[in-house]
Amino acid sequence: MEGLLPITNRYGINMIFMTILQDVRFALRTFARQPGFTVTVVFILGIGIGGSVVIFSVLKALLLQPLPYPEPDRLVHVWQTDVDKRTRWPFSTPDYLDVRELCRSFEEFGAYVPQWFTVGTVEPERVFGASATAGALRAYGVEPTVGRLFTEREVLEGNDRVAVLSHGFWERRLGADPEVIGTTIPLNGGAYRVLGIMPDGFEFISPWSPGEDVALWTPLALSRDGASRTNHWLVAIARLRPETTREAAEAELHAIASRLGEQYPTTNVRTQLWLNPLMRQIVGDARGQVLLLMGGVALVLLLACANVASMLLAKNTGRQTEIAMRTTLGAGRKRIVGQLLTESMLLSLLGGLAGTLFGITCFGAVKSMIPASLPRMGHVAIDGPVLLFSLGLALLTSLIFGLAPALQVSRSDLSEGLRGGRGGRAARRGRARAFRFLAAGQLAIALVLTNGAALLYVSFRNVMRTPQVFDSEQTLTTSISLDGERYADNQARVDFWNQLLERVAALPGVDHAGLTSQLPLLGGMNDEILSEDETFESRGLGTLAEISFVSPDYSIAMGVPLLAGRTLRRGDWREANYGNVVVNKTLVEQYWPGESALGKRIMRNADSTSWTAVIVGVVEDTRQWGPERSPVPEVYFPHESFTWSPSWLVVHSRGDPLSQVPAVRGEVAQLDPGLAASDFRTMEQVLTSTTRERRFITKLVSLFGVVALALAAAGVFGMMSHDVAQRTHELGIRAALGADRRRLMAMVLGRALRIASIGAVVGVGGAVLSFRVISQWVFGVNPTAPAFISGLVAFLLLVAVAATGIPARCIQLGLCRQTKPIRRP
């Protein structure tokens, strides 16, 4: 017997292979006999699988693909925060130096500041980079492919005119010259020696600018001399020691924060320290966006499976005679189910192939819509893992839509099938229940997706219609950095801007020109302030206000209305820590509601007040942190008090503002050929850029909703067409017995409405549950308002009735032509 076992196994394997091959051949012949059915199923599955493939490629790049660093789970961002809440405060210089000296949990600990650099002297270019301590680059654990990194000792010894370049910048700007190490490049008006070239694909993603590609790094020299503990400006990153857990490191940081609070009670008593893993920091809010899209496309795929399942159930109903004959000839139930599942699997594989081709075709269009603020989008690609996902998804869908119809048909009544019937009463009732379940499920999924699409569309429309007080159409903006030794002194920066503003304001077609340290909608710098009636307390919180440094004509150039007093003038900042300021309406309403704020004093919330100011004007609110964020208190300082770099030039034009770009560039070049004016945009374009993420999510979810509605309508139409075909004999008898044909049509429509009502009830429940997922994207609309939900339900019922109307009308016309009432004696 032992000698026969291999032969038996070989024979059994061959039989299984032959059976599968026979099933595949039979399935292909079946498909060839019904090309319309086959193409329809493959198309429906292709839509669902294709969308899943595209969104999964985004999900893989963002969440599943590991960071390209050694042991990336040991990389963490370190933040300061208020003791009562886990906010993200950057470090002050003294606090960073203290933590670097005291903390033993870190193998490397560094800090950096993202900034723009001007490269070149002829046709200079602005590139994004970072000034960093040596520990910030070493924390990533990645060495340059050419050259080396700078060290802390070099920086302390004054050798800070060096740079490390990214691989992309080295190729694009320097032609991938291998001899560049040791040579100098013109940077910010000086000559910087190139120390190293980072590897291709090295990522340096900053939480303050996630969409920017970092081109280079220069040393950041930090000193305690003159540094304030209230000036938070450094992003800190660290690599944990191999033997240290995040919990242990954070416990040590808490102890250090308590120690600093005791040593410096006026500045650190409210300060705590905490860690955030780098992967979690990079993903941030993008995780919710991608998971939302993945959930939406999963619902579309599930709806497609339900649609195909109902089609297979209807198709298999007509195969009762075939199934009965095969059973009579000895085929068991497992054999029948196996044959039907083979057909489903082949259909699904064809759908997976079509979906992959569809995904590849649409991939470029979808990728172009992805906002730059989503991190790691350069890794989005349809590659091997994505194709494996497509194959696995195809096999999974074959089970989802194929198993239930196969089991339903395999339970058919044998004798009824041999007589050419459609099965016994129990079988017909079972199929009817399955049809109702599938149709109601499709309508429920369609309602959930339509609800989400409607909410996002209305929210996006509300965001775009949110009143903005600035002039979005006639205002041109550009960013200019004044860096290097020539502009090391604040007065030199003030002189440059005063000259440039005079020149630009004199250009033909220009009404006004202004300067600001931060543009509306883009966010910027803030600080805590006190009114003249408040006193500093180390454990107390002041009012958090936006701080902007602007020129006298800024509000006029931006189109921000003046509500009271006057705008700023030259000379308003008379001393180092005292002068005049303009504030916005929200600050006035918070401190002096119903009163005039003119002449009131405000100051910084600090023990040794760094500044005190008198309010000379009040302007309308602008939204500083996006079009959907409420205005916050804001203080406008004269730009001569401190000219921020980079700053924004604001030009109000009578004609097309973009037509002023060459003239503005020319004026900048005449004042300093080494400067580069870049990022020319109108405020309308700025508004559009701040809504890219919302626009991207709205477009895709709306597309999912449209596809879901189309599939659900097609599913209801197919279900009702099949129901009509099954009940034609019964309805004909009813008509022959004198039943009113309008009542017969109403009966068919009533059946569809009952199914649609069930789907609507389930869908409303699903929509309410899904609101928690999309709540962060809802703006200016109440998703649970009865009118909103009623409108969606009514729309869905209308779709169901419209999809049922054609089969119902066919019944009415067919009965009118083919039947005559039976006359009773």
Side-chain angles (χ1 to χ4, degrees):
M1 293 295 293
E2 293 181 359
L4 295 176
L5 187 58
I7 298 175
T8 305
N9 287 344
R10 192 181 310 119
Y11 177 75
I13 292 173
N14 288 338
M15 286 296 295
I16 294 174
F17 177 76
M18 292 300 294
T19 300
I20 294 175
L21 185 60
Q22 183 181 12
D23 288 346
V24 170
R25 288 175 177 172
F26 184 81
L28 292 176
R29 288 197 301 269
T30 302
F31 298 160
R33 288 196 301 267
Q34 298 175 320
F37 175 86
T38 304
V39 170
T40 302
V41 170
V42 170
F43 176 75
I44 292 174
L45 291 176
I47 291 176
I49 294 176
S52 300
V53 166
V54 173
I55 301 302
F56 177 77
S57 66
V58 179
L59 178 70
K60 179 184 72 70
L62 182 67
L63 302 180
L64 304 181
Q65 191 164 321
L67 295 174
Y69 316 119
E71 300 181 89
D73 57 314
R74 290 168 51 199
L75 280 168
V76 294
H77 272 288
V78 187
W79 298 100
Q80 291 188 303
T81 183
D82 187 83
V83 292
D84 296 327
K85 52 186 177 180
R86 209 174 175 92
T87 53
R88 292 193 313 178
W89 292 353
F91 270 82
S92 66
T93 298
D95 288 343
Y96 163 74
L97 295 175
D98 286 339
V99 172
R100 189 176 67 175
E101 293 173 2
L102 297 173
C103 188
R104 298 293 176 262
S105 298
F106 300 141
E107 185 177 284
E108 296 288 351
F109 183 53
Y112 67 90
V113 179
Q115 70 175 82
W116 289 91
F117 294 88
T118 303
V119 182
T121 55
V122 179
E123 295 184 358
E125 174 191 9
R126 288 182 79 225
V127 298
F128 188 75
S131 292
T133 64
L137 279 173
R138 289 201 306 266
Y140 287 91
V142 179
E143 292 295 324
T145 53
V146 182
R148 62 178 178 84
L149 302 175
F150 48 79
T151 66
E152 298 286 0
R153 180 181 295 276
E154 288 176 315
V155 178
L156 290 176
E157 292 175 352
N159 187 18
D160 57 351
R161 290 296 188 94
V162 295
V164 176
L165 310 181
S166 71
H167 190 274
F169 178 81
W170 174 56
E171 284 187 328
R172 180 178 58 83
R173 185 79 187 188
L174 303 176
D177 181 7
E179 306 298 327
V180 73
I181 302 300
T183 63
T184 60
I185 60 173
L187 190 64
N188 285 349
Y192 279 66
R193 183 164 53 91
V194 178
L195 282 186
I197 310 296
M198 296 303 289
D200 187 16
F202 174 69
E203 295 179 277
F204 191 92
I205 303 175
S206 171
W208 286 353
S209 49
E212 300 289 351
D213 292 329
V214 177
L216 56 87
W217 298 263
T218 59
L220 177 63
L222 298 176
S223 172
R224 295 182 185 274
D225 296 339
S228 170
R229 291 187 182 271
T230 60
N231 184 18
H232 297 265
W233 64 299
L234 297 171
V235 183
I237 187 168
R239 175 174 286 271
L240 296 173
R241 295 186 182 276
E243 68 278 5
T244 304
T245 64
R246 287 201 297 265
E247 292 75 14
E250 194 161 272
E252 183 185 17
L253 288 175
H254 288 175
I256 293 174
S258 298
R259 177 176 173 181
L260 294 178
E262 294 174 358
Q263 287 183 298
Y264 310 101
T266 58
T267 58
N268 287 65
V269 71
R270 294 190 349 250
T271 302
Q272 187 54 273
L273 299 169
W274 66 287
L275 299 178
N276 199 22
L278 181 62
M279 185 63 180
R280 186 186 305 168
Q281 185 77 63
I282 288 175
V283 171
D285 296 335
R287 179 194 300 267
Q289 300 173 32
V290 177
L291 291 180
L292 169 64
L293 294 178
M294 202 66 201
V297 79
L299 287 178
V300 172
L301 180 59
L302 184 60
L303 196 152
C305 289
N307 200 302
V308 172
S310 62
M311 294 173 63
L312 285 178
L313 188 58
K315 173 178 174 290
N316 291 340
T317 302
R319 301 175 66 182
Q320 297 294 328
T321 302
E322 172 200 336
I323 301 298
M325 291 181 63
R326 296 184 64 187
T327 305
T328 303
L329 293 174
R333 185 183 179 194
K334 291 182 179 179
R335 185 72 181 82
I336 299 298
V337 172
Q339 169 64 47
L340 296 177
L341 283 179
T342 300
E343 295 179 11
S344 301
M345 189 171 296
L346 283 176
L347 284 173
S348 190
L349 290 175
L350 290 173
L353 178 61
T356 303
L357 295 176
F358 175 73
I360 294 173
T361 303
C362 300
F363 179 74
V366 175
K367 190 173 182 179
S368 66
M369 292 193 302
I370 298 177
S373 56
L374 281 180
R376 312 199 71 198
M377 289 301 100
H379 297 277
V380 176
I382 296 182
D383 49 16
V386 175
L387 295 178
L388 287 176
F389 169 80
S390 176
L391 176 62
L393 197 60
L395 296 176
L396 177 63
T397 54
S398 68
L399 292 177
I400 293 176
F401 71 75
L403 187 59
L407 292 176
Q408 179 69 35
V409 173
S410 68
R411 296 193 186 102
S412 321
D413 184 273
L414 181 60
S415 59
E416 183 72 18
L418 290 174
R419 291 196 300 266
R422 301 294 184 179
R425 179 177 297 179
R428 289 195 297 271
R429 287 180 177 176
R431 287 195 298 271
R433 284 194 298 269
F435 274 124
R436 289 196 295 270
F437 173 79
L438 291 172
Q442 291 178 63
L443 291 172
I445 294 174
L447 179 58
V448 172
L449 285 173
T450 305
N451 173 73
L455 284 174
L456 293 177
Y457 173 77
V458 174
S459 298
F460 178 74
R461 185 193 62 184
N462 291 341
V463 168
M464 297 305 294
R465 291 181 177 180
T466 301
Q468 306 294 336
V469 299
F470 52 78
D471 187 339
S472 60
E473 296 180 355
Q474 301 302 127
T475 305
L476 177 70
T477 67
T478 181
S479 177
I480 301 176
S481 296
L482 303 181
D483 299 306
E485 292 183 357
R486 178 177 178 178
Y487 301 105
D489 181 64
N490 183 62
Q491 188 57 47
R493 297 194 295 271
V494 171
D495 292 341
F496 171 85
W497 277 111
N498 286 339
Q499 294 179 59
L500 180 62
L501 291 173
E502 290 178 0
R503 287 170 169 264
V504 173
L507 291 173
V510 173
D511 290 328
H512 301 280
L515 164 74
T516 179
S517 60
Q518 59 183 23
L519 277 182
L521 307 178
L522 300 185
M525 174 183 174
N526 49 50
D527 203 353
E528 290 183 9
I529 65 171
L530 301 173
S531 72
E532 57 189 354
D533 300 325
E534 297 174 318
T535 56
F536 169 75
E537 295 182 9
S538 60
R539 295 185 177 273
L541 291 172
T543 296
L544 189 65
E546 294 297 305
I547 304 297
S548 298
F549 300 91
V550 302
S551 66
D553 280 350
Y554 164 71
S555 59
I556 302 175
M558 184 61 73
V560 180
L562 178 68
L563 303 180
R566 62 173 177 84
T567 58
L568 295 171
R569 300 169 182 167
R570 289 190 183 182
D572 266 333
W573 202 254
R574 297 183 291 276
E575 301 175 12
N577 63 345
Y578 179 76
N580 298 327
V581 295
V582 170
V583 300
N584 70 342
K585 183 174 65 174
T586 295
L587 188 144
V588 175
E589 291 176 347
Q590 181 168 332
Y591 274 118
W592 305 283
E595 301 180 27
S596 172
L598 302 180
K600 304 287 188 182
R601 292 175 181 260
I602 56 175
M603 64 196 75
R604 190 181 187 191
N605 183 28
D607 59 331
S608 55
T609 303
S610 58
W611 56 264
T612 301
V614 177
I615 299 173
V616 296
V618 179
V619 295
E620 186 58 84
D621 294 328
T622 57
R623 301 173 187 265
Q624 290 290 357
W625 291 93
E628 57 206 82
R629 297 280 293 272
S630 300
V632 296
E634 186 165 9
V635 181
Y636 296 90
F637 288 81
H639 80 102
E640 62 256 30
S641 63
F642 183 78
T643 300
W644 199 262
S645 183
S647 291
W648 295 87
L649 174 66
V650 179
V651 181
H652 192 275
S653 174
R654 289 189 292 273
D656 179 13
L658 292 175
S659 65
Q660 298 290 346
V661 171
V664 172
R665 277 206 174 108
E667 297 298 335
V668 173
Q670 287 188 23
L671 285 176
D672 187 343
L675 293 181
S678 64
D679 197 16
F680 281 92
R681 290 185 293 176
T682 66
M683 284 305 296
E684 182 69 28
Q685 293 171 325
V686 172
L687 175 61
T688 300
S689 69
T690 59
T691 58
R692 281 179 181 169
E693 290 184 18
R694 180 178 287 278
R695 187 188 303 271
F696 172 64
I697 297 293
T698 301
K699 281 185 177 180
L700 287 189
V701 175
S702 298
L703 179 61
F704 297 159
V706 171
V707 172
L709 269 180
L711 289 177
V716 173
F717 174 81
M719 184 271 294
M720 292 307 302
S721 297
H722 180 267
D723 185 63
V724 168
Q726 295 294 299
R727 302 181 64 190
T728 300
H729 183 67
E730 171 200 343
L731 296 173
I733 293 176
R734 288 175 179 265
L737 291 174
D740 184 64
R741 292 168 178 78
R742 285 176 296 182
R743 292 186 61 185
L744 293 179
M745 185 174 181
M747 182 175 66
V748 175
L749 291 175
R751 184 183 179 90
L753 283 175
R754 286 193 298 272
I755 295 173
S757 298
I758 296 173
V761 171
V762 177
V764 167
V768 172
L769 293 176
S770 67
F771 171 64
R772 299 186 61 181
V773 179
I774 64 173
S775 57
Q776 63 172 320
W777 300 98
V778 175
F779 179 78
V781 58
N782 181 8
T784 59
F788 187 83
I789 294 179
S790 299
L792 284 173
V793 171
F795 178 68
L796 186 69
L797 294 177
L798 181 63
V799 171
V801 171
T804 310
I806 296 177
R809 182 60 177 167
C810 289
I811 294 174
Q812 189 181 45
L813 294 177
L815 293 178
C816 288
R817 290 194 301 265
Q818 300 176 14
T819 65
K820 294 183 179 180
I822 298 176
R823 296 184 178 180
R824 298 181 183 272

